[in-house]
Structure formats: C-alpha cells, structure tokens
Amino acid sequence: MQDEYRTVARAGVHETEINRSRFLCALAPAATEQEAQEFIAAVRKEHADATHNCWAYVIGADASVQKASDDGEPGGTAGVPMLQMLLRRDMRYVVAVVTRYYGGVKLGAGGLIRAYGGAVGEALEEVGTLTRRRFRLATVTVDHQRAGKIQNDLRATGREVRDVRYDEAVTIEIGLPDADVDAFRGWLADVTAGSAGFELGGEAYGDA
C-alpha cells in the first residue's frame, strides 16, 4: 500500500477561456469508480448542450484504476492530457470533467492538449488538494479514571482520535503511523502504569 496520496479537498468548478472557447473543469473526490461515473453523468446532464464533456479519473491509492475519454475531440487531445495532469500532481480518488463550449476558433491538437491539461491544473490550484496518509488503526482500552487524561494527551500530541466508546471501560480508537506503533505502546504503558489494553487493527487513510 502507498504510504500517502493526494486528493482534492472538495468538489469545485474552475472556468477558463481560450480563443473564445469556454472550458469548465469540474473536480470531485471519488472513493470508487462508480462514484466517478455518477459524477461524470451528472456533469454531462448539466451541460448537455456543450460541444464536449471530456473526463478522466484515478481511483486507488496506487492509481490502480485510470480511465479517460476524449468525448469526440481528436484522439489523445483531451482525456489523456487530463489524466496525465492528475497523475503528474499525484492525485488519487479524483474525477475531472472538462466541459467545452466551442467558440468558433480551432485550437489544433497541441492547443487542445494544452487547454484540457491546463484546465485541470488550474482547477486543482483553485479547488485545493490535501494529503491523506496511511495509518494503522489501534484500540486503547482504559478505566474511566484515566480516560480523560489519555484523550487529552493523545490530542495534544497530534494523534488522531477516531472514536471513543464508554462501557465498563473506555475504548479509544486511534490512527497511528506504522513507525510509531512501538513507541506509542511504550508511552501508553508508562502513563497508565501498564493498566491499559492496546490492540492493533487494520489499515486506513486519514488526513495528514
């Protein structure tokens, strides 16, 4: 698994004009290929009167799914440059749709490649990106007396507290970088005099 990846901070649209053609790049995070395709369908419906709705998406922290479409533009002049821009910026779990309203001036193959790739690059700057890092999920179990202090200490040291459950004991679910697991185990034993339970779970991604 990748240790980290970048994705878009939110959904958003950025518009640019080149030789009287309007290019609207819509970006959105997409956890699955189906989500990406649903977003593309929604944009196509919204801009059904556009000359082209070209798209590209990258799914998977390791970019295992990469797809693109020129939607009627000359082969390789739209979807591929869009996809290349996403990959060049290390973007994952993201979908981009560039809607073109033709303005009467032909751009030529090179111009189209620059226009579609550039529209995605500008939209990424405008919408903003964030880095998500791989964590090991871990569960800490402590008595009620120590729970408050442990939670405060965790937050003060920048640990990600994902969930807290109160039962006979208090269960705190956290995310830890792999490299920190041993040190954390030692710290927990020190501050709770060895009374806390600690269990490692699976892996997940969280905001870095």
Side-chain angles (χ1 to χ4, degrees):
M1 283 175 81
Q2 295 279 112
D3 279 341
E4 61 182 49
Y5 66 85
R6 292 171 72 199
T7 191
V8 285
R10 59 183 174 84
V13 181
H14 175 73
E15 181 174 340
T16 185
E17 189 174 309
I18 301 166
N19 283 358
R20 299 211 297 270
S21 277
R22 287 172 63 212
F23 291 86
L24 288 81
C25 179
L27 289 171
T32 63
E33 195 169 358
Q34 185 180 343
E35 269 186 36
Q37 289 168 351
E38 285 169 358
F39 180 76
I40 292 163
V43 174
R44 290 175 76 102
K45 190 175 176 185
E46 184 185 346
H47 296 287
D49 58 336
T51 321
H52 306 280
N53 284 292
C54 307
W55 53 263
Y57 57 78
V58 182
I59 308 294
D62 55 355
S64 55
V65 178
Q66 304 175 19
K67 292 195 177 164
S69 165
D70 296 314
D71 191 39
E73 291 281 31
T77 62
V80 168
M82 290 169 62
L83 181 62
Q84 285 172 341
M85 181 60 73
L86 292 176
L87 293 170
R88 197 178 305 144
R89 300 284 182 93
D90 290 325
M91 300 303 294
R92 305 289 186 264
Y93 294 106
V94 64
V95 54
V97 184
V98 175
T99 299
R100 181 188 185 190
Y101 286 93
Y102 182 57
V105 179
K106 291 192 173 181
L107 300 180
L112 287 172
I113 289 167
R114 285 191 296 277
Y116 279 99
V120 173
E122 287 178 25
L124 288 171
E125 301 288 341
E126 177 93 6
V127 170
T129 63
L130 51 83
T131 301
R132 294 177 71 78
R133 192 163 287 147
R134 183 161 59 96
F135 289 101
R136 283 298 293 273
L137 296 174
T139 306
V140 174
T141 310
V142 288
D143 56 41
H144 285 264
Q145 206 176 337
R146 289 192 170 91
K149 182 179 184 327
I150 292 288
Q151 283 182 67
N152 289 339
D153 287 351
L154 287 170
R155 291 195 169 97
T157 55
R159 301 287 180 214
E160 186 191 9
V161 176
R162 300 172 71 93
D163 190 27
V164 182
R165 293 187 296 281
Y166 296 90
D167 236 330
E168 285 175 26
V170 180
T171 305
I172 306 167
E173 190 180 279
I174 59 170
L176 283 175
D178 264 344
D180 290 3
V181 170
D182 289 341
F184 180 82
R185 203 191 295 263
W187 171 83
L188 186 65
D190 285 347
V191 297
T192 64
S195 67
F198 180 73
E199 194 176 315
L200 275 179
E203 294 182 322
Y205 285 92
D207 295 347

